[in-house]
Short mmCIF file of all heavy atoms in Angstrom, two decimals:
data_model
loop_
_atom_site.label_atom_id
_atom_site.label_comp_id
_atom_site.label_asym_id
_atom_site.label_seq_id
_atom_site.Cartn_x
_atom_site.Cartn_y
_atom_site.Cartn_z
N VAL Y 1 9.79 -12.10 9.55
CA VAL Y 1 10.29 -10.79 9.10
C VAL Y 1 10.23 -10.71 7.58
O VAL Y 1 9.78 -9.70 7.01
CB VAL Y 1 11.73 -10.54 9.60
CG1 VAL Y 1 12.33 -9.30 8.98
CG2 VAL Y 1 11.76 -10.45 11.12
N GLU Y 2 10.65 -11.77 6.88
CA GLU Y 2 10.57 -11.79 5.42
C GLU Y 2 9.13 -11.70 4.95
O GLU Y 2 8.82 -11.00 3.99
CB GLU Y 2 11.21 -13.07 4.87
CG GLU Y 2 12.70 -13.14 5.04
CD GLU Y 2 13.27 -14.50 4.72
OE1 GLU Y 2 12.56 -15.51 4.78
OE2 GLU Y 2 14.48 -14.56 4.41
N LEU Y 3 8.25 -12.40 5.65
CA LEU Y 3 6.84 -12.36 5.31
C LEU Y 3 6.24 -10.97 5.51
O LEU Y 3 5.48 -10.49 4.67
CB LEU Y 3 6.09 -13.39 6.15
CG LEU Y 3 4.70 -13.78 5.71
CD1 LEU Y 3 4.68 -14.23 4.26
CD2 LEU Y 3 4.17 -14.88 6.62
N LEU Y 4 6.63 -10.30 6.58
CA LEU Y 4 6.16 -8.94 6.82
C LEU Y 4 6.68 -7.98 5.75
O LEU Y 4 5.94 -7.14 5.24
CB LEU Y 4 6.56 -8.45 8.21
CG LEU Y 4 6.07 -7.06 8.60
CD1 LEU Y 4 4.55 -6.99 8.56
CD2 LEU Y 4 6.57 -6.69 9.98
N LEU Y 5 7.95 -8.12 5.37
CA LEU Y 5 8.50 -7.29 4.30
C LEU Y 5 7.78 -7.56 2.98
O LEU Y 5 7.49 -6.63 2.22
CB LEU Y 5 10.00 -7.54 4.14
CG LEU Y 5 10.89 -6.98 5.24
CD1 LEU Y 5 12.33 -7.46 5.05
CD2 LEU Y 5 10.84 -5.47 5.26
N LEU Y 6 7.47 -8.83 2.72
CA LEU Y 6 6.71 -9.18 1.52
C LEU Y 6 5.33 -8.53 1.56
O LEU Y 6 4.87 -7.96 0.57
CB LEU Y 6 6.59 -10.70 1.40
CG LEU Y 6 5.81 -11.22 0.20
CD1 LEU Y 6 6.53 -10.89 -1.09
CD2 LEU Y 6 5.60 -12.72 0.33
N ALA Y 7 4.68 -8.60 2.71
CA ALA Y 7 3.34 -8.00 2.87
C ALA Y 7 3.39 -6.50 2.62
O ALA Y 7 2.52 -5.95 1.94
CB ALA Y 7 2.80 -8.30 4.27
N ILE Y 8 4.40 -5.84 3.14
CA ILE Y 8 4.55 -4.40 2.93
C ILE Y 8 4.79 -4.11 1.45
O ILE Y 8 4.19 -3.22 0.87
CB ILE Y 8 5.67 -3.82 3.82
CG1 ILE Y 8 5.25 -3.88 5.29
CG2 ILE Y 8 6.02 -2.39 3.40
CD1 ILE Y 8 6.38 -3.60 6.28
N GLY Y 9 5.68 -4.89 0.83
CA GLY Y 9 5.97 -4.69 -0.59
C GLY Y 9 4.73 -4.89 -1.45
O GLY Y 9 4.46 -4.08 -2.35
N LEU Y 10 3.96 -5.94 -1.17
CA LEU Y 10 2.75 -6.20 -1.95
C LEU Y 10 1.70 -5.11 -1.75
O LEU Y 10 0.93 -4.82 -2.66
CB LEU Y 10 2.15 -7.56 -1.57
CG LEU Y 10 2.87 -8.79 -2.08
CD1 LEU Y 10 2.24 -10.05 -1.49
CD2 LEU Y 10 2.84 -8.84 -3.60
N SER Y 11 1.66 -4.53 -0.58
CA SER Y 11 0.61 -3.55 -0.28
C SER Y 11 0.88 -2.17 -0.87
O SER Y 11 -0.01 -1.32 -0.85
CB SER Y 11 0.41 -3.45 1.22
OG SER Y 11 1.54 -2.87 1.83
N MET Y 12 2.05 -1.95 -1.43
CA MET Y 12 2.39 -0.61 -1.91
C MET Y 12 1.55 -0.16 -3.11
O MET Y 12 1.23 1.02 -3.23
CB MET Y 12 3.88 -0.50 -2.24
CG MET Y 12 4.78 -0.48 -1.01
SD MET Y 12 4.47 0.93 0.07
CE MET Y 12 3.82 0.13 1.51
N ASP Y 13 1.16 -1.08 -3.99
CA ASP Y 13 0.26 -0.70 -5.08
C ASP Y 13 -1.09 -0.24 -4.52
O ASP Y 13 -1.63 0.78 -4.94
CB ASP Y 13 0.01 -1.88 -6.02
CG ASP Y 13 1.05 -2.00 -7.12
OD1 ASP Y 13 1.89 -1.08 -7.25
OD2 ASP Y 13 1.04 -3.01 -7.84
N ALA Y 14 -1.60 -1.00 -3.57
CA ALA Y 14 -2.88 -0.65 -2.95
C ALA Y 14 -2.74 0.67 -2.18
O ALA Y 14 -3.66 1.50 -2.20
CB ALA Y 14 -3.36 -1.76 -2.03
N PHE Y 15 -1.61 0.87 -1.54
CA PHE Y 15 -1.37 2.13 -0.82
C PHE Y 15 -1.41 3.31 -1.80
O PHE Y 15 -2.03 4.33 -1.53
CB PHE Y 15 -0.02 2.08 -0.09
CG PHE Y 15 0.37 3.38 0.57
CD1 PHE Y 15 -0.15 3.72 1.80
CD2 PHE Y 15 1.23 4.26 -0.06
CE1 PHE Y 15 0.20 4.92 2.42
CE2 PHE Y 15 1.59 5.45 0.54
CZ PHE Y 15 1.08 5.79 1.79
N ALA Y 16 -0.74 3.13 -2.93
CA ALA Y 16 -0.68 4.21 -3.92
C ALA Y 16 -2.08 4.55 -4.46
O ALA Y 16 -2.43 5.73 -4.59
CB ALA Y 16 0.24 3.82 -5.08
N VAL Y 17 -2.88 3.54 -4.74
CA VAL Y 17 -4.24 3.79 -5.21
C VAL Y 17 -5.07 4.41 -4.09
O VAL Y 17 -5.90 5.28 -4.34
CB VAL Y 17 -4.88 2.48 -5.74
CG1 VAL Y 17 -6.35 2.70 -6.08
CG2 VAL Y 17 -4.12 1.99 -6.97
N SER Y 18 -4.83 3.98 -2.87
CA SER Y 18 -5.55 4.55 -1.72
C SER Y 18 -5.24 6.03 -1.54
O SER Y 18 -6.12 6.81 -1.16
CB SER Y 18 -5.20 3.78 -0.44
OG SER Y 18 -5.60 2.44 -0.54
N VAL Y 19 -3.99 6.40 -1.79
CA VAL Y 19 -3.61 7.81 -1.73
C VAL Y 19 -4.46 8.60 -2.72
O VAL Y 19 -4.98 9.68 -2.41
CB VAL Y 19 -2.10 8.01 -1.99
CG1 VAL Y 19 -1.76 9.47 -2.22
CG2 VAL Y 19 -1.28 7.46 -0.82
N CYS Y 20 -4.62 8.05 -3.92
CA CYS Y 20 -5.46 8.70 -4.94
C CYS Y 20 -6.91 8.79 -4.48
O CYS Y 20 -7.58 9.80 -4.71
CB CYS Y 20 -5.37 7.96 -6.27
SG CYS Y 20 -3.76 8.06 -7.04
N LYS Y 21 -7.40 7.73 -3.84
CA LYS Y 21 -8.77 7.76 -3.31
C LYS Y 21 -8.92 8.87 -2.28
O LYS Y 21 -9.91 9.59 -2.25
CB LYS Y 21 -9.13 6.41 -2.67
CG LYS Y 21 -9.42 5.33 -3.65
CD LYS Y 21 -10.78 5.53 -4.23
CE LYS Y 21 -11.18 4.40 -5.13
NZ LYS Y 21 -12.35 4.77 -5.91
N GLY Y 22 -7.94 8.99 -1.39
CA GLY Y 22 -7.98 10.03 -0.38
C GLY Y 22 -7.87 11.43 -0.96
O GLY Y 22 -8.51 12.37 -0.48
N LEU Y 23 -7.08 11.55 -2.00
CA LEU Y 23 -6.91 12.82 -2.69
C LEU Y 23 -8.24 13.29 -3.29
O LEU Y 23 -8.57 14.47 -3.26
CB LEU Y 23 -5.86 12.66 -3.79
CG LEU Y 23 -5.47 13.87 -4.61
CD1 LEU Y 23 -4.83 14.93 -3.72
CD2 LEU Y 23 -4.50 13.46 -5.71
N ALA Y 24 -9.03 12.34 -3.80
CA ALA Y 24 -10.29 12.67 -4.46
C ALA Y 24 -11.46 12.84 -3.49
O ALA Y 24 -12.49 13.38 -3.85
CB ALA Y 24 -10.64 11.57 -5.46
N ALA Y 25 -11.29 12.36 -2.26
CA ALA Y 25 -12.39 12.42 -1.29
C ALA Y 25 -12.51 13.83 -0.71
O ALA Y 25 -11.62 14.29 -0.01
CB ALA Y 25 -12.16 11.42 -0.16
N PRO Y 26 -13.64 14.51 -0.99
CA PRO Y 26 -13.80 15.87 -0.48
C PRO Y 26 -13.96 15.89 1.04
O PRO Y 26 -13.41 16.75 1.71
CB PRO Y 26 -15.07 16.36 -1.17
CG PRO Y 26 -15.79 15.14 -1.64
CD PRO Y 26 -14.76 14.06 -1.80
#
């Protein structure tokens, strides 16, 4: 459970950049 929470926490930067990628994708 701690490892999964860590994985989610670490992935949030990538998620945020991915949102920007999706925003720019026509």
Side-chain angles (χ1 to χ4, degrees):
V1 172
E2 291 170 336
L3 196 54
L4 182 59
L5 288 172
L6 179 66
I8 292 168
L10 285 174
S11 68
M12 287 299 113
D13 273 352
F15 175 81
V17 173
S18 297
V19 168
C20 293
K21 285 283 185 193
L23 183 63

